[in-house]
Amino acid sequence: MDERIYRVLIADDSAVMRRLLLNTLEQESALRVVGAARDGAEAVRLCLSLRPDVVIMDINMPVMDGLQATQRILESLPMPIVVLSGYVNDPSSRMAFEAIRAGALAVVGKPTSPDEPEYRRMHDELVQAVLGMANVKVVRRQPGMTNPIMPMAAHSTP
């Protein structure tokens, strides 16, 4: 049986989170991390050069946040983007709505440390989202066809 290996790009400004995500995803035989970006601008550049099958995108990053990076990527080279957030279960946060509006296909909670009780559930949710979105056909977004995404600092996220 020929199992496809999906190429994943991680975009997160935290070195600890990048390492945790790398370790989490590399446990899965169908996933291979091909790059890691420290900010949204680097994520855009790496997507253009590495052409991953799916991107895992943090929201709050320096230089260019994850929402703006998502929109730019989808204007240049459409690919599935899964957004990670610590605010995914916060009912007062509009972050999930903004991530979908920017073009993300899924929004999942950031995995916790492997020592935490919720780790296994969050790990499984992330892996399922990445595997599920990796084969989704994404269309190119035309620049200017949607309202520009404001930097996250301008949003009312806790």
Side-chain angles (χ1 to χ4, degrees), residues 27-152:
Q27 293 175 20
E28 303 299 320
S29 61
L31 300 175
R32 180 78 9 90
V33 175
V34 295
R38 296 170 299 226
D39 60 61
E42 185 177 23
V44 173
R45 286 191 305 274
L46 288 176
C47 282
L48 293 174
S49 64
L50 298 174
R51 299 182 182 262
D53 296 306
V54 66
V55 178
I56 297 175
M57 182 78 70
D58 184 23
I59 294 295
N60 294 312
M61 293 186 289
V63 183
M64 178 189 296
D65 72 32
L67 296 178
Q68 292 174 309
T70 295
Q71 194 170 40
R72 293 256 175 92
I73 290 164
L74 294 175
E75 289 172 355
S76 304
L77 182 69
M79 61 186 59
I81 298 175
V82 174
V83 165
L84 287 180
S85 175
Y87 301 114
V88 76
N89 293 318
D90 182 348
S92 68
S93 174
R94 294 179 33 121
M95 189 285 313
F97 172 76
E98 293 298 327
I100 299 300
R101 188 169 78 90
L105 295 181
V107 181
V108 297
K110 277 191 174 185
T112 57
S113 161
D115 304 338
E116 298 293 323
E118 288 291 300
Y119 174 75
R120 189 81 218 147
R121 181 190 59 77
M122 295 179 96
H123 166 277
D124 292 345
E125 185 178 295
L126 173 61
V127 168
Q128 287 308 110
V130 171
L131 289 171
M133 297 304 123
N135 282 316
V136 172
K137 172 93 170 119
V138 180
V139 296
R140 183 175 177 263
R141 283 190 149 187
Q142 297 297 320
M145 292 299 286
T146 58
N147 293 331
I149 300 295
M150 294 183 303
M152 269 312 289

